[in-house]
Amino acid sequence: MKKILLCICIFSFCYSSYSDRLKNNGYNNSEYSIGLNDKTSFYGLISKSWIKDKDYGESYVTLGGLGLVGSLGYGRKYYLRRGRFFSPYVSATGFGYYVLAIAAVGGVGISGNLGIDITTVEYKDMALKFQFGLFSAFNPFSGQSLIIPGDGGPSYIMPSFSMKLYFKK
């Protein structure tokens, strides 16, 4: 129990210092996501992303997990057309992941997503968005797909959907 408490304290300290470092490097916007998100899918079921707006879209650093599964990554999102309510995009993310469910497994992944952001509520510097898309991920070192294959469907693609709270600074 003491080891688990120590790990949680160390992780919390690293998370707060990492967050401050990102804010100093221009990643002023942040996003909280719940669901199979467009960045790391089920490796970041609950995640936080630090976002830097660019003229092409945005670059981001994402950190997510749900206890036994987690990830940390960097990526870019390119908007095909930025609208007030509907914004289709293409994104790519490189990330490291771990899975502690059955055996301790970790690795590196590359993901791609074709999706749409739907903004439902905007209030001052906050927005509630829903994201829907098609997600694919691959581990380049082991040559394995990081997708949970569906029964009778393609083994290289899966849906992504999430609810996001977006905070603009």
Side-chain angles (χ1 to χ4, degrees):
M1 186 64 179
K2 289 180 182 178
K3 290 181 182 179
I4 293 172
L5 190 58
L6 180 65
C7 289
I8 291 172
C9 290
I10 290 171
F11 181 74
S12 298
F13 175 75
C14 292
Y15 177 77
S16 63
S17 65
Y18 188 66
S19 177
D20 292 340
R21 211 174 287 153
L22 286 170
K23 286 180 183 176
N24 292 337
N25 287 327
Y27 289 87
N28 293 326
N29 304 329
S30 61
E31 172 184 274
Y32 295 90
S33 174
I34 297 174
L36 297 172
N37 67 38
D38 57 338
K39 296 167 179 66
T40 58
S41 190
F42 55 87
Y43 293 106
L45 290 172
I46 297 174
S47 67
K48 179 177 181 182
S49 298
W50 295 268
I51 299 169
K52 183 189 289 187
D53 283 327
K54 301 280 190 174
D55 48 345
Y56 57 78
E58 59 193 37
S59 66
Y60 53 83
V61 174
T62 184
L63 175 69
L66 192 58
L68 299 176
V69 177
S71 64
L72 172 67
Y74 170 79
R76 292 184 174 197
K77 182 183 280 190
Y78 295 89
Y79 286 102
L80 304 174
R81 186 182 73 78
R82 229 181 223 192
R84 183 170 177 195
F85 299 108
F86 298 103
S87 300
Y89 65 87
V90 174
S91 68
T93 306
F95 63 96
Y97 65 91
Y98 68 89
V99 179
L100 302 175
I102 298 170
V105 177
V108 176
I110 300 169
S111 70
N113 194 55
L114 173 65
I116 186 167
D117 279 337
I118 301 171
T119 305
T120 56
V121 176
E122 277 190 85
Y123 180 73
K124 294 186 181 180
D125 293 337
M126 190 268 310
L128 176 65
K129 296 181 179 184
F130 290 93
Q131 174 271 321
F132 301 97
L134 296 174
F135 178 85
S136 185
F138 181 74
N139 184 332
F141 297 112
S142 69
Q144 294 179 329
S145 175
L146 298 176
I147 301 299
I148 300 172
D151 194 23
S155 63
Y156 53 88
I157 199 164
M158 67 185 271
S160 67
F161 50 89
S162 63
M163 180 178 74
K164 301 176 182 183
L165 280 175
Y166 184 82
F167 296 97
K168 198 169 205 167
K169 301 283 178 179

